[in-house]
Amino acid sequence: MSKPLFALMGLLGVGLCEINEVRAGIPIERPNLELDWSRAAVTDVAQWQSFFDQKYPLMDPVMDITKGNESGRFAWEAPAWIRSYLALYQTTRDMQYLEKAVNLAQHMALYTDEARHRRGEIDVVEKGYWQAPKYYLNNRGNPVPGWRGYSKGWRVQVLQDGRILSAILRVVDRIKQEQVSEYLAVADELLALAERVIESHDTSFSHTKTPRVAGSYYYPHVRNRYTNDNGLFSKPLPFNHNMAMAEALLLAHKWMPEKQDYWDKAELLTQFFADHMQIREDGSCFWRYAFVPRDPNSKAEDITHADIEIGFLVIAQEMQLADVSPMLDCMAQTLVVTMYDDGEISYKVDGTGVAKGYHQMYVASHWLELAGREPRIAEIAFELLNRLESPPSSFNGFLGWAQLLALQDSQRQAFLVQNQPVTDEGPNRPD
Protein backbone atom coordinates (compact mmCIF):
# COMPACT_ATOMS: atom_id res chain seq x y z
CA MET A 1 0.00 0.00 0.00
CA SER A 2 1.31 3.44 -0.86
CA LYS A 3 0.20 5.40 2.19
CA PRO A 4 1.67 4.69 5.64
CA LEU A 5 -0.93 3.04 7.84
CA PHE A 6 -2.61 5.27 10.42
CA ALA A 7 -1.16 8.43 8.91
CA LEU A 8 -4.52 10.21 8.71
CA MET A 9 -6.59 8.31 11.26
CA GLY A 10 -8.48 9.83 14.15
CA LEU A 11 -9.49 7.27 16.76
CA LEU A 12 -12.75 9.00 17.58
CA GLY A 13 -10.86 12.25 18.01
CA VAL A 14 -7.46 10.91 19.09
CA GLY A 15 -5.07 9.78 16.35
CA LEU A 16 -2.53 7.04 16.98
CA CYS A 17 0.22 9.56 16.48
CA GLU A 18 -1.17 11.47 19.47
CA ILE A 19 -1.57 8.55 21.86
CA ASN A 20 1.97 8.65 23.19
CA GLU A 21 1.53 12.36 23.86
CA VAL A 22 -1.68 11.64 25.74
CA ARG A 23 0.07 9.00 27.83
CA ALA A 24 3.29 10.97 28.33
CA GLY A 25 1.90 13.11 31.14
CA ILE A 26 0.26 10.23 33.01
CA PRO A 27 2.35 8.61 35.73
CA ILE A 28 1.67 4.88 35.52
CA GLU A 29 3.12 2.62 38.19
CA ARG A 30 4.90 -0.35 36.66
CA PRO A 31 5.94 -2.60 39.55
CA ASN A 32 8.50 -5.34 39.04
CA LEU A 33 6.89 -8.70 38.43
CA GLU A 34 7.45 -10.88 41.50
CA LEU A 35 5.06 -13.81 41.73
CA ASP A 36 5.10 -16.02 44.81
CA TRP A 37 5.57 -19.38 43.13
CA SER A 38 5.70 -21.13 46.50
CA ARG A 39 1.92 -20.91 46.62
CA ALA A 40 1.24 -21.57 42.95
CA ALA A 41 -1.12 -24.40 42.03
CA VAL A 42 1.30 -25.35 39.26
CA THR A 43 4.95 -24.78 40.08
CA ASP A 44 6.73 -26.39 37.13
CA VAL A 45 6.17 -28.16 33.81
CA ALA A 46 6.34 -31.61 35.42
CA GLN A 47 3.41 -30.72 37.63
CA TRP A 48 1.51 -29.25 34.65
CA GLN A 49 2.07 -32.52 32.82
CA SER A 50 0.92 -34.53 35.84
CA PHE A 51 -2.38 -32.64 36.00
CA PHE A 52 -2.75 -33.00 32.23
CA ASP A 53 -2.23 -36.78 32.39
CA GLN A 54 -4.81 -37.08 35.16
CA LYS A 55 -7.36 -35.09 33.15
CA TYR A 56 -6.63 -36.80 29.82
CA PRO A 57 -5.30 -40.30 30.61
CA LEU A 58 -6.31 -41.97 27.33
CA MET A 59 -6.13 -39.35 24.59
CA ASP A 60 -5.05 -35.75 24.21
CA PRO A 61 -7.98 -33.28 24.19
CA VAL A 62 -9.81 -32.58 20.91
CA MET A 63 -8.06 -35.49 19.20
CA ASP A 64 -11.23 -37.59 19.49
CA ILE A 65 -13.37 -35.13 17.49
CA THR A 66 -14.30 -36.52 14.06
CA LYS A 67 -17.06 -34.08 13.09
CA GLY A 68 -14.97 -31.06 12.24
CA ASN A 69 -15.95 -27.86 13.96
CA GLU A 70 -19.60 -28.80 14.33
CA SER A 71 -19.28 -28.61 18.12
CA GLY A 72 -17.17 -25.43 17.95
CA ARG A 73 -14.26 -27.07 19.76
CA PHE A 74 -11.85 -26.73 16.86
CA ALA A 75 -12.34 -22.96 16.93
CA TRP A 76 -12.62 -22.30 20.66
CA GLU A 77 -10.72 -25.04 22.48
CA ALA A 78 -8.05 -26.34 20.09
CA PRO A 79 -6.23 -22.97 19.76
CA ALA A 80 -5.71 -22.88 23.53
CA TRP A 81 -4.16 -26.35 23.52
CA ILE A 82 -1.88 -25.53 20.61
CA ARG A 83 -0.68 -22.39 22.37
CA SER A 84 -0.17 -24.39 25.58
CA TYR A 85 1.96 -26.96 23.81
CA LEU A 86 4.01 -24.31 22.04
CA ALA A 87 4.56 -22.43 25.31
CA LEU A 88 5.79 -25.60 27.01
CA TYR A 89 7.97 -26.45 24.04
CA GLN A 90 9.48 -22.97 24.28
CA THR A 91 10.16 -23.51 27.97
CA THR A 92 11.50 -27.08 27.90
CA ARG A 93 12.61 -27.67 24.27
CA ASP A 94 11.00 -31.07 24.78
CA MET A 95 9.88 -32.30 21.34
CA GLN A 96 6.85 -34.07 22.79
CA TYR A 97 5.09 -30.71 23.09
CA LEU A 98 5.84 -29.68 19.52
CA GLU A 99 4.63 -33.12 18.42
CA LYS A 100 1.36 -32.61 20.30
CA ALA A 101 0.84 -29.27 18.57
CA VAL A 102 1.61 -30.76 15.14
CA ASN A 103 -0.72 -33.71 15.75
CA LEU A 104 -3.60 -31.43 16.71
CA ALA A 105 -3.02 -29.14 13.71
CA GLN A 106 -2.97 -32.15 11.37
CA HIS A 107 -6.07 -33.58 13.02
CA MET A 108 -8.07 -30.42 12.36
CA ALA A 109 -6.80 -30.35 8.77
CA LEU A 110 -8.02 -33.92 8.37
CA TYR A 111 -11.59 -32.91 9.19
CA THR A 112 -12.32 -29.99 6.90
CA ASP A 113 -15.61 -30.12 5.03
CA GLU A 114 -13.74 -30.90 1.83
CA ALA A 115 -11.94 -33.87 3.37
CA ARG A 116 -15.05 -35.17 5.11
CA HIS A 117 -17.14 -34.84 1.94
CA ARG A 118 -14.48 -36.69 -0.06
CA ARG A 119 -14.62 -39.56 2.44
CA GLY A 120 -18.42 -39.63 2.33
CA GLU A 121 -18.85 -38.49 5.94
CA ILE A 122 -21.04 -35.49 5.06
CA ASP A 123 -23.33 -34.64 2.17
CA VAL A 124 -23.33 -30.96 1.26
CA VAL A 125 -25.93 -31.57 -1.45
CA GLU A 126 -28.71 -32.91 0.75
CA LYS A 127 -27.65 -30.78 3.71
CA GLY A 128 -26.15 -27.72 2.09
CA TYR A 129 -24.93 -24.43 3.53
CA TRP A 130 -27.39 -21.70 4.37
CA GLN A 131 -24.48 -19.29 4.78
CA ALA A 132 -20.99 -19.63 3.30
CA PRO A 133 -18.52 -17.80 1.05
CA LYS A 134 -20.36 -16.71 -2.09
CA TYR A 135 -18.90 -19.31 -4.45
CA TYR A 136 -20.36 -22.11 -2.33
CA LEU A 137 -23.78 -20.45 -2.25
CA ASN A 138 -23.71 -19.95 -6.01
CA ASN A 139 -22.40 -23.46 -6.69
CA ARG A 140 -24.36 -25.71 -4.38
CA GLY A 141 -22.96 -29.13 -3.64
CA ASN A 142 -19.31 -28.05 -3.45
CA PRO A 143 -17.76 -28.48 0.01
CA VAL A 144 -15.83 -25.56 1.47
CA PRO A 145 -12.11 -26.02 2.15
CA GLY A 146 -12.71 -24.88 5.75
CA TRP A 147 -14.97 -25.95 8.58
CA ARG A 148 -18.74 -25.64 8.92
CA GLY A 149 -20.65 -24.98 12.13
CA TYR A 150 -24.33 -25.03 12.98
CA SER A 151 -26.56 -22.06 13.71
CA LYS A 152 -30.03 -22.18 12.13
CA GLY A 153 -28.39 -24.50 9.62
CA TRP A 154 -24.88 -25.17 8.35
CA ARG A 155 -22.80 -22.05 7.97
CA VAL A 156 -19.16 -21.26 7.25
CA GLN A 157 -17.83 -18.09 8.88
CA VAL A 158 -14.76 -15.90 8.78
CA LEU A 159 -14.53 -16.07 12.58
CA GLN A 160 -14.31 -19.84 12.98
CA ASP A 161 -12.15 -20.43 9.92
CA GLY A 162 -9.86 -17.63 11.07
CA ARG A 163 -9.59 -19.01 14.59
CA ILE A 164 -8.74 -22.51 13.41
CA LEU A 165 -6.30 -21.32 10.76
CA SER A 166 -4.52 -19.00 13.20
CA ALA A 167 -3.88 -21.93 15.53
CA ILE A 168 -2.66 -24.16 12.72
CA LEU A 169 -0.43 -21.41 11.37
CA ARG A 170 1.19 -20.85 14.76
CA VAL A 171 2.42 -24.42 14.48
CA VAL A 172 3.60 -23.81 10.91
CA ASP A 173 5.37 -20.67 12.08
CA ARG A 174 7.27 -22.47 14.81
CA ILE A 175 8.31 -25.33 12.51
CA LYS A 176 9.54 -23.00 9.79
CA GLN A 177 11.24 -20.56 12.13
CA GLU A 178 13.29 -23.37 13.64
CA GLN A 179 13.51 -25.41 10.43
CA VAL A 180 12.44 -28.57 12.26
CA SER A 181 13.30 -30.97 9.48
CA GLU A 182 10.93 -33.82 10.37
CA TYR A 183 7.91 -31.48 10.17
CA LEU A 184 8.77 -29.21 7.23
CA ALA A 185 6.67 -31.23 4.77
CA VAL A 186 3.74 -31.14 7.18
CA ALA A 187 4.13 -27.38 7.55
CA ASP A 188 3.98 -26.93 3.77
CA GLU A 189 0.80 -29.03 3.56
CA LEU A 190 -0.83 -27.00 6.33
CA LEU A 191 0.24 -23.75 4.68
CA ALA A 192 -1.33 -24.86 1.39
CA LEU A 193 -4.58 -25.60 3.23
CA ALA A 194 -4.47 -22.17 4.86
CA GLU A 195 -4.09 -20.54 1.44
CA ARG A 196 -7.19 -22.33 0.14
CA VAL A 197 -9.31 -21.47 3.17
CA ILE A 198 -8.22 -17.83 3.31
CA GLU A 199 -8.92 -17.27 -0.36
CA SER A 200 -12.32 -18.96 -0.14
CA HIS A 201 -13.41 -15.87 1.83
CA ASP A 202 -12.03 -13.31 -0.64
CA THR A 203 -15.46 -12.26 -1.92
CA SER A 204 -16.55 -11.53 1.66
CA PHE A 205 -13.95 -8.76 2.01
CA SER A 206 -14.48 -5.17 0.90
CA HIS A 207 -12.86 -1.76 1.39
CA THR A 208 -15.63 0.03 -0.52
CA LYS A 209 -18.86 -1.39 0.91
CA THR A 210 -19.35 0.97 3.87
CA PRO A 211 -18.24 4.58 4.42
CA ARG A 212 -15.88 5.08 7.40
CA VAL A 213 -14.74 1.45 7.11
CA ALA A 214 -11.20 1.07 5.80
CA GLY A 215 -11.75 -2.61 5.15
CA SER A 216 -13.82 -5.42 6.62
CA TYR A 217 -15.21 -8.86 6.03
CA TYR A 218 -19.00 -9.10 5.68
CA TYR A 219 -21.63 -11.81 5.78
CA PRO A 220 -22.46 -12.92 2.23
CA HIS A 221 -25.97 -12.08 1.05
CA VAL A 222 -27.73 -15.42 0.76
CA ARG A 223 -30.53 -14.20 -1.52
CA ASN A 224 -28.56 -13.07 -4.56
CA ARG A 225 -25.69 -14.33 -6.68
CA TYR A 226 -23.56 -11.17 -6.79
CA THR A 227 -19.90 -11.54 -5.84
CA ASN A 228 -19.11 -7.82 -5.51
CA ASP A 229 -20.31 -5.37 -2.82
CA ASN A 230 -23.90 -6.08 -3.82
CA GLY A 231 -23.39 -9.66 -2.74
CA LEU A 232 -22.70 -8.62 0.86
CA PHE A 233 -24.91 -7.57 3.74
CA SER A 234 -24.44 -3.92 4.66
CA LYS A 235 -23.06 -4.26 8.20
CA PRO A 236 -19.33 -5.05 8.59
CA LEU A 237 -18.45 -8.03 10.73
CA PRO A 238 -17.60 -7.50 14.41
CA PHE A 239 -14.01 -6.58 15.11
CA ASN A 240 -13.13 -9.95 16.65
CA HIS A 241 -14.29 -11.77 13.50
CA ASN A 242 -12.05 -9.56 11.39
CA MET A 243 -9.06 -9.90 13.70
CA ALA A 244 -9.36 -13.70 13.78
CA MET A 245 -8.89 -13.86 10.02
CA ALA A 246 -6.37 -11.00 10.05
CA GLU A 247 -4.13 -13.10 12.29
CA ALA A 248 -4.30 -15.95 9.78
CA LEU A 249 -3.55 -13.51 6.96
CA LEU A 250 -0.39 -12.25 8.64
CA LEU A 251 0.93 -15.66 9.66
CA ALA A 252 0.31 -17.03 6.17
CA HIS A 253 1.95 -13.99 4.53
CA LYS A 254 5.03 -14.49 6.68
CA TRP A 255 5.76 -17.74 4.84
CA MET A 256 4.12 -16.76 1.54
CA PRO A 257 5.42 -13.21 1.09
CA GLU A 258 4.27 -13.19 -2.50
CA LYS A 259 0.69 -12.98 -1.18
CA GLN A 260 0.75 -9.19 -0.92
CA ASP A 261 -3.04 -9.02 -0.74
CA TYR A 262 -2.91 -10.86 2.61
CA TRP A 263 -0.73 -8.09 4.04
CA ASP A 264 -2.88 -5.37 2.48
CA LYS A 265 -6.09 -6.81 3.92
CA ALA A 266 -4.50 -7.10 7.37
CA GLU A 267 -3.47 -3.42 7.16
CA LEU A 268 -6.99 -2.32 6.27
CA LEU A 269 -8.53 -4.46 9.00
CA THR A 270 -6.13 -2.95 11.55
CA GLN A 271 -6.95 0.55 10.39
CA PHE A 272 -10.70 -0.13 10.63
CA PHE A 273 -10.25 -1.31 14.21
CA ALA A 274 -8.00 1.60 15.19
CA ASP A 275 -10.30 4.16 13.56
CA HIS A 276 -13.02 3.24 16.03
CA MET A 277 -11.05 2.98 19.26
CA GLN A 278 -11.16 5.81 21.81
CA ILE A 279 -8.14 6.58 23.98
CA ARG A 280 -8.89 7.99 27.44
CA GLU A 281 -6.90 10.41 29.55
CA ASP A 282 -5.99 7.74 32.11
CA GLY A 283 -4.22 5.70 29.41
CA SER A 284 -7.03 3.16 29.03
CA CYS A 285 -9.21 2.87 25.96
CA PHE A 286 -12.73 2.00 24.88
CA TRP A 287 -13.93 0.13 21.83
CA ARG A 288 -17.11 -1.58 20.76
CA TYR A 289 -17.92 -5.15 19.79
CA ALA A 290 -18.74 -3.95 16.30
CA PHE A 291 -19.05 -0.80 14.25
CA VAL A 292 -22.74 -0.35 13.53
CA PRO A 293 -23.24 2.65 11.19
CA ARG A 294 -26.83 3.21 12.35
CA ASP A 295 -26.14 2.73 16.06
CA PRO A 296 -23.20 4.75 17.42
CA ASN A 297 -23.97 3.42 20.91
CA SER A 298 -23.71 -0.28 20.10
CA LYS A 299 -22.49 -2.56 22.87
CA ALA A 300 -18.98 -2.39 24.30
CA GLU A 301 -16.49 -5.14 23.56
CA ASP A 302 -16.27 -7.99 26.08
CA ILE A 303 -13.27 -9.65 27.69
CA THR A 304 -13.45 -12.84 25.61
CA HIS A 305 -13.65 -11.28 22.18
CA ALA A 306 -11.10 -8.60 23.06
CA ASP A 307 -8.73 -11.51 23.64
CA ILE A 308 -8.91 -12.31 19.90
CA GLU A 309 -8.15 -8.72 18.95
CA ILE A 310 -5.16 -8.59 21.29
CA GLY A 311 -3.81 -11.85 19.85
CA PHE A 312 -3.79 -10.35 16.37
CA LEU A 313 -2.29 -7.02 17.44
CA VAL A 314 0.59 -8.77 19.24
CA ILE A 315 1.48 -10.54 16.00
CA ALA A 316 0.95 -7.35 13.98
CA GLN A 317 3.46 -5.59 16.23
CA GLU A 318 5.97 -8.44 15.99
CA MET A 319 5.72 -8.47 12.19
CA GLN A 320 5.87 -4.64 12.02
CA LEU A 321 2.61 -4.36 10.12
CA ALA A 322 2.25 -1.01 11.89
CA ASP A 323 3.16 0.52 15.23
CA VAL A 324 0.24 -0.79 17.23
CA SER A 325 2.10 -0.43 20.54
CA PRO A 326 -0.11 2.48 21.64
CA MET A 327 -3.19 0.29 21.14
CA LEU A 328 -1.65 -2.59 23.09
CA ASP A 329 -0.54 -0.21 25.85
CA CYS A 330 -4.01 1.23 26.26
CA MET A 331 -5.59 -2.24 26.24
CA ALA A 332 -3.24 -3.27 29.05
CA GLN A 333 -4.24 -0.18 31.01
CA THR A 334 -7.93 -0.89 30.32
CA LEU A 335 -7.64 -4.20 32.15
CA VAL A 336 -5.93 -2.83 35.25
CA VAL A 337 -7.55 0.62 35.41
CA THR A 338 -11.09 -0.03 34.20
CA MET A 339 -11.87 -3.74 34.32
CA TYR A 340 -10.14 -5.09 37.45
CA ASP A 341 -11.55 -4.34 40.87
CA ASP A 342 -11.07 -6.16 44.16
CA GLY A 343 -10.28 -9.54 42.70
CA GLU A 344 -12.97 -9.48 39.99
CA ILE A 345 -12.90 -8.51 36.34
CA SER A 346 -15.70 -6.84 34.46
CA TYR A 347 -17.21 -8.54 31.45
CA LYS A 348 -17.05 -5.45 29.24
CA VAL A 349 -14.06 -3.22 28.52
CA ASP A 350 -16.02 -0.23 29.82
CA GLY A 351 -16.02 -1.78 33.32
CA THR A 352 -19.66 -2.94 33.30
CA GLY A 353 -20.83 -6.38 34.37
CA VAL A 354 -18.84 -9.05 36.19
CA ALA A 355 -17.26 -11.75 34.06
CA LYS A 356 -18.14 -15.34 34.91
CA GLY A 357 -15.29 -17.44 36.21
CA TYR A 358 -14.58 -19.16 32.91
CA HIS A 359 -14.65 -15.78 31.17
CA GLN A 360 -12.22 -14.31 33.70
CA MET A 361 -9.82 -17.04 32.62
CA TYR A 362 -9.29 -15.15 29.37
CA VAL A 363 -7.01 -12.83 31.34
CA ALA A 364 -4.59 -15.76 31.23
CA SER A 365 -4.92 -16.05 27.43
CA HIS A 366 -3.82 -13.29 25.01
CA TRP A 367 -4.38 -10.64 27.69
CA LEU A 368 -1.42 -12.18 29.52
CA GLU A 369 0.77 -11.32 26.54
CA LEU A 370 0.40 -7.69 27.59
CA ALA A 371 2.19 -8.34 30.91
CA GLY A 372 5.42 -6.96 29.47
CA ARG A 373 3.59 -3.64 29.09
CA GLU A 374 1.78 -3.82 32.41
CA PRO A 375 3.21 -6.34 34.92
CA ARG A 376 0.06 -6.21 37.06
CA ILE A 377 -1.66 -8.28 34.37
CA ALA A 378 0.58 -11.22 35.22
CA GLU A 379 -0.18 -10.72 38.90
CA ILE A 380 -3.92 -10.64 38.19
CA ALA A 381 -3.70 -13.77 36.03
CA PHE A 382 -1.66 -15.52 38.72
CA GLU A 383 -4.22 -14.68 41.41
CA LEU A 384 -7.16 -15.77 39.25
CA LEU A 385 -5.52 -19.02 38.22
CA ASN A 386 -4.73 -19.85 41.82
CA ARG A 387 -8.32 -19.14 42.79
CA LEU A 388 -10.20 -20.63 39.83
CA GLU A 389 -7.87 -23.24 38.31
CA SER A 390 -6.17 -24.94 41.22
CA PRO A 391 -5.52 -27.53 39.90
CA PRO A 392 -6.15 -26.68 36.23
CA SER A 393 -9.23 -28.27 34.73
CA SER A 394 -10.23 -26.13 31.71
CA PHE A 395 -8.35 -25.47 28.48
CA ASN A 396 -7.89 -21.82 29.43
CA GLY A 397 -6.64 -22.86 32.85
CA PHE A 398 -4.03 -25.18 31.36
CA LEU A 399 -3.09 -22.44 28.88
CA GLY A 400 -2.74 -19.83 31.61
CA TRP A 401 -0.42 -21.97 33.70
CA ALA A 402 1.62 -22.97 30.64
CA GLN A 403 2.08 -19.31 29.71
CA LEU A 404 2.97 -18.29 33.26
CA LEU A 405 5.58 -21.05 33.37
CA ALA A 406 6.97 -19.80 30.06
CA LEU A 407 7.00 -16.25 31.46
CA GLN A 408 8.78 -17.45 34.60
CA ASP A 409 11.39 -19.19 32.47
CA SER A 410 11.94 -16.19 30.19
CA GLN A 411 12.44 -13.93 33.19
CA ARG A 412 14.91 -16.41 34.69
CA GLN A 413 16.85 -16.53 31.42
CA ALA A 414 16.85 -12.74 31.18
CA PHE A 415 18.14 -12.52 34.76
CA LEU A 416 20.97 -14.94 33.99
CA VAL A 417 21.99 -12.98 30.91
CA GLN A 418 21.90 -9.67 32.76
CA ASN A 419 24.02 -11.02 35.61
CA GLN A 420 26.71 -12.90 33.69
CA PRO A 421 30.25 -12.00 34.73
CA VAL A 422 31.95 -9.99 32.00
CA THR A 423 35.54 -10.62 30.98
CA ASP A 424 37.72 -9.21 28.23
CA GLU A 425 36.62 -12.09 26.04
CA GLY A 426 32.92 -11.54 26.76
CA PRO A 427 30.38 -12.78 29.31
CA ASN A 428 30.91 -16.33 30.59
CA ARG A 429 33.27 -17.22 27.78
CA PRO A 430 34.32 -20.90 28.16
CA ASP A 431 38.00 -21.76 28.31
Side-chain angles (χ1 to χ4, degrees), residues 54-111:
Q54 292 172 39
K55 180 78 174 179
Y56 304 100
L58 302 178
M59 183 181 293
D60 287 350
V62 186
M63 293 296 292
D64 59 337
I65 295 175
T66 59
K67 292 187 176 182
N69 191 48
E70 291 179 13
S71 67
R73 291 180 65 193
F74 276 10
W76 301 109
E77 181 177 349
W81 289 117
I82 282 179
R83 289 172 57 215
S84 292
Y85 301 148
L86 293 179
L88 295 176
Y89 173 64
Q90 170 191 325
T91 302
T92 65
R93 309 306 296 173
D94 186 334
M95 287 296 291
Q96 72 159 312
Y97 294 113
L98 182 58
E99 182 179 4
K100 285 178 183 289
V102 171
N103 288 344
L104 182 47
Q106 285 185 293
H107 181 75
M108 292 191 289
L110 188 62
Y111 288 97

Side-chain angles (χ1 to χ4, degrees), residues 34-48:
E34 295 182 1
L35 305 179
D36 182 5
W37 283 91
S38 66
R39 62 184 186 84
V42 180
T43 57
D44 55 32
V45 174
Q47 193 173 35
W48 187 99

Side-chain angles (χ1 to χ4, degrees), residues 8-27:
L8 301 175
M9 294 194 305
L11 285 75
L12 297 185
V14 182
L16 274 180
C17 59
E18 301 174 60
I19 296 175
N20 287 328
E21 296 175 14
V22 172
R23 287 176 50 75
I26 303 169

Side-chain angles (χ1 to χ4, degrees), residues 102 169 171-173 175-176 183-192:
V102 171
L169 287 167
V171 181
V172 170
D173 187 49
I175 292 169
K176 286 186 168 288
Y183 294 132
L184 285 174
V186 172
D188 287 337
E189 292 174 2
L190 294 173
L191 193 59

